[in-house]
Amino acid sequence: MDVPAKPWPTGLSEQCEPLVRRVLAPNASPYTFTGTQTYLVGAGSAVAVIDPGPADTGVPGHADTNGAGHVEAILEAVGSASIAAILCTHTHRDHSPAAAVLKERTGAPIIGCVPLALSDDGPRADTAFDPDYAPDRVLADGERLTGDGWTIEAVATPGHTSNHLCYAVIESGALFTGDHVMAWSTSVVSPPDGDMRAYMASLQKLHDRDDRIYYPAHGPAVTKPRQLVRGMLGHRRSREAQVLRLLDHGPLRITDMVPRMYKGLDPRLTGAAGRSVLAHLIDLQNRGRVANEGETWSLG
């Protein structure tokens, strides 16, 4: 999906509900939509910051690393309150690099997902991992963090990345879904770290919960969460069926499959689509449904 012609305002504190505000980073791109949304949880003397976003580092002008002025915008939104915790859903470069800067400026601890740094096995279409992410405390699935009028619970949702966490606010029923569930696009599942079977299991896990609203890191809030997740599960099953139908006609490479599966796809997203097709193929291979010889895949 293209970035909107009129991007959402960056650097402003927007009230989403009594316990939640958001500040949009200036890193709009075909992969980040309007940019990374940093959320502030709490209305009292201490707040939690979720997904502080990109830092003003990396490749100059690169959308996924452009965090110019974003830490300052977060601090302005925090105002006279203190930051009790800096939480990251995962460690892609558009989510976690500003955590270190924010910690340096405020002394607040970095809490949440485990660190992750991987060598890639091919061209990436999503953002690279943040190799400098260093949490002071890692949260396990179901572990809680309390602050002034709020309680945040970690919900492990591996798939997009192996270290992905969502965060639930117990008092309000809100769930911060990072890149796991977004209304504007499906999540890229990019091997070797991205895992389609884990992703599907995590979607089912969220579908079985009763969260009131989702706040994703990119795009609008999701006001009918279970309906969206049910559709996402069906969409992924349809993609798997497409793969099997195509291979039923003979061996193919991923580069042959993508244009047949994704009609009218923005050429800039071809690589991302190919990575998700690869994730489906690996899952099917692990279940004995397909096999490969080099870059060519066939029914098993």
Side-chain angles (χ1 to χ4, degrees):
M1 182 180 290
D2 289 333
V3 176
K6 295 182 179 180
W8 295 0
T10 61
L12 301 179
S13 175
E14 299 177 282
Q15 194 81 42
C16 302
E17 58 180 79
L19 282 177
V20 179
R21 288 172 287 158
R22 70 180 168 206
V23 181
L24 179 64
N27 64 325
S29 80
Y31 302 109
T32 59
F33 197 43
T34 59
T36 303
Q37 295 172 137
T38 296
Y39 292 98
L40 275 60
V41 177
S45 60
V47 301
V49 175
I50 297 177
D51 277 342
D56 190 14
T57 58
V59 181
H62 192 287
D64 295 331
T65 58
N66 180 19
H70 188 52
V71 168
E72 286 71 20
I74 294 171
L75 291 172
E76 184 174 349
V78 171
S80 60
S82 63
I83 298 176
I86 304 165
L87 300 104
C88 298
T89 59
H90 63 296
T91 52
H92 275 154
R93 268 193 331 216
D94 59 321
H95 287 257
S96 60
V101 183
L102 202 55
K103 176 182 177 178
E104 182 180 356
R105 296 279 293 272
T106 66
I110 299 172
I111 300 173
C113 66
V114 299
L116 183 68
L118 293 176
S119 298
D120 202 2
D121 69 343
R124 292 200 70 89
D126 57 341
T127 59
F129 291 100
D130 171 14
D132 299 320
Y133 171 75
D136 298 291
R137 175 184 167 192
V138 169
L139 293 180
D141 184 37
E143 193 170 356
R144 292 185 175 186
L145 182 70
T146 59
D148 184 8
W150 50 264
T151 308
I152 291 176
E153 180 177 278
V155 182
T157 48
H160 174 65
T161 61
S162 61
N163 65 345
H164 196 287
L165 292 178
C166 294
Y167 296 106
V169 180
I170 302 304
E171 288 79 5
S172 74
L175 184 74
F176 299 92
T177 56
D179 282 2
H180 185 64
V181 174
M182 301 175 286
W184 74 280
S185 174
T186 56
S187 181
V188 175
V189 180
S190 182
D193 187 62
D195 184 287
M196 188 59 70
R197 180 173 292 190
Y199 179 73
M200 292 291 284
S202 293
L203 282 179
Q204 187 63 52
K205 179 178 182 176
L206 293 197
H207 183 268
D208 295 341
R209 292 172 54 89
D210 61 353
D211 302 291
R212 176 183 58 86
I213 190 171
Y214 290 174
Y215 292 111
H218 310 281
V222 178
T223 56
K224 297 180 179 179
R226 296 190 74 197
Q227 179 177 314
L228 177 63
V229 172
R230 186 162 54 248
M232 293 175 70
L233 285 164
H235 171 74
R236 290 294 186 179
R237 292 179 185 125
S238 295
R239 287 295 188 205
E240 178 182 292
Q242 276 185 295
V243 169
L244 292 171
R245 283 197 302 270
L246 286 172
L247 294 181
D248 191 43
H249 295 286
L252 290 169
R253 296 186 176 199
I254 291 174
T255 51
D256 301 319
M257 300 171 73
V258 168
R260 302 185 197 186
M261 294 174 64
Y262 297 82
K263 303 295 184 181
L265 180 69
D266 183 335
R268 294 173 295 179
L269 301 179
T270 299
R275 301 302 288 180
S276 285
V277 172
L278 175 60
H280 276 296
L281 287 165
I282 291 172
D283 180 30
L284 287 165
Q285 184 179 45
N286 289 338
R287 289 150 53 194
R289 302 288 303 277
V290 304
N292 73 303
E293 186 172 340
E295 296 182 0
T296 302
W297 293 83
S298 60
L299 293 179

